[in-house]
Amino acid sequence: METNKKNTHGGRRIGAGRKSNLGTPTSVIRVPSYRKRNIKIEIDMFQSHIINKPYNYSASEIYEVINDLIYFLINCQERAREGKIKGFEELTPMQRYAILNLKSKFS
């Protein structure tokens, strides 16, 4: 015997699920396991900066995150010089200059 009762448990519902503590819409992505901790720290540091509160991480953890970001930026600069960034020519001259002169900002 079948019933026509609507199932009210589970499934997608408006307003269901964990709320964001960032105060902005979020999305789920997959990241390599070895990068997960640093990405969480980056997000927390960004959030702390926005609401002007102190970081909750040790200096060595922050150093590791900053090192990763600097490595990434310098790698982007090298790729730009090699012509391996799609749409680079669409940037303004000032934006292209900023990418190509990153090292001078960190020296």
Side-chain angles (χ1 to χ4, degrees):
M1 180 165 144
E2 291 184 34
T3 62
N4 290 333
K5 182 180 175 187
K6 184 176 179 184
N7 187 359
T8 58
H9 297 283
R12 185 181 293 184
R13 299 176 313 282
I14 295 173
R18 186 173 155 195
K19 306 300 178 246
S20 168
N21 57 355
L22 294 176
T24 183
T26 61
S27 62
V28 178
I29 62 169
R30 291 192 170 274
V31 297
S33 298
Y34 68 92
R35 289 282 296 138
K36 184 178 178 182
R37 175 87 175 135
N38 281 4
I39 290 172
K40 280 185 172 185
I41 292 173
E42 289 171 35
I43 292 168
D44 288 347
M45 287 173 63
F46 181 76
Q47 182 183 12
S48 295
H49 173 72
I50 296 297
I51 60 176
N52 202 17
K53 74 174 195 181
Y55 298 145
N56 292 326
Y57 298 98
S58 69
S60 62
E61 289 173 313
I62 292 171
Y63 175 81
E64 186 177 330
V65 168
I66 291 171
N67 246 7
D68 285 352
L69 293 172
I70 290 172
Y71 172 79
F72 171 73
L73 291 171
I74 290 172
N75 185 270
C76 284
Q77 181 184 45
E78 290 169 5
R79 287 175 174 263
R81 286 200 173 123
E82 295 168 359
K84 294 182 178 178
I85 295 182
K86 194 185 310 182
F88 187 71
E89 62 282 348
E90 296 171 10
L91 297 175
T92 66
M94 196 64 147
Q95 290 169 327
R96 289 194 299 266
Y97 177 82
I99 290 175
L100 294 173
N101 291 288
L102 286 171
K103 285 184 181 177
S104 63
K105 293 181 180 184
F106 299 117
S107 298

